[in-house]
Amino acid sequence: MSLAKEIRQIIEAYDQATAQGKRTALATVVHVDGSSYRRPGARMLITEDGELTGAISGGCLEGDALRKSLLVIMQDYPMLVTYDTSDEDDALLGVGLGCNGIIRVLIEPVSGSVSPNPVEFLKKLEKDRYPAVLVTLFSLEDHRSRMQGTCLFLKEKESAGELDGRLLQESLLQESITVLENRHSVFRKYRAEQEEIVAFIQYIEPEINLVIAGAGNDIFPVVEMAGILGWKVTLIDGRPNYANKQRFSSCTIVIGEPEKALNMIETDNRTAVLLMTHNYNYDKVMMRQLLQKDIPYIGMLGPEKKRERLLDELREEGMEINAAPANVFSPVGLDIGAETSEEIALSAISEIKAVFAGKPGKYLRDNKGSIHKTNDTELTDKININA
């Protein structure tokens, strides 16, 4: 499941809980030292009657987080909780988990009387497909500090949130602008009101927008897997008896000839396109248009000979095409020995995920270092201000 899907589920659960008059809290993984199942930015909503939406671990921390969240809800006070899974003497959270990391989780009450509250910030993420930055403060000195919480939101043309300290507000806003430009989350330490506070400045990208040309039966597992991950899926096909809501209820459907169909949908730098029509001429027309757009991933079914023939014909028709466009992936998918439609779907979906994550798609056991970048969690001593 993608972060975007998790956020949508949290928003839906919050709206339902609010309509029923239930109080809630939001638990956020704000920092990790070492290894853990979830990384900073993972979230979970907790209601006063114990309902959980989202996850902060593989299931090992949720029970304790639930108990502490009920206390946060009752006292209306944020709390930073630290779980040390590297402590071999800890029978509950130590060697039994095998994570070997220190996980810091901020639990904050979500009040409808406070605006914007943490979930309202999450709602701002969902209303369009612009990248965003979300700032969450936590204290390593005082785990019950009132300064803790989700406090600032930034998009290209929108910002929200206000802090008591003007200098802290200005500094966090400037750091958020830098994070938005660099597309990379950071941590920053501040000295504010005689207290050291840490800012988790999280860069959040929109979900992957998967466009599939084709609506045959082999599309079903692709749509199902993409749906599990929370990707937005659009189908393009010229056959209304194949591309319809009865067959693909969860997809946006565009019926039309290839020359016009692409102009009916929006694409961006989080868009992947799969050509799965089994129609050479349809794929060729689509490829001609796709190569003129800034699309990171274009996958096409078929062997290498089909790809080379198609690109050669487009060159002969006047298109300037490099020998092997870096954004064209054909044959499509990672090499996992896929044969059935389900296996091919898994191969293609995995390749798309790897491309957007900037990963080579190799065995994790061959990694010599950490799976995740170590500088993702560095607590940088950069800014000390009196706010």
Side-chain angles (χ1 to χ4, degrees), residues 122-130 153 155 158:
L122 297 182
K123 288 182 177 182
K124 291 180 179 296
L125 291 172
E126 279 295 295
K127 71 178 185 178
D128 55 41
R129 288 185 53 80
Y130 289 106
F153 169 87
K155 279 188 177 180
E158 179 184 8

Side-chain angles (χ1 to χ4, degrees), residues 185-204:
S185 303
V186 300
F187 293 84
R188 294 289 182 258
K189 283 184 180 179
Y190 295 86
R191 174 61 62 175
E193 297 181 0
Q194 307 306 312
E195 178 183 357
E196 185 176 80
I197 200 81
V198 181
F200 170 36
I201 309 175
Q202 182 187 10
Y203 175 72
I204 303 177

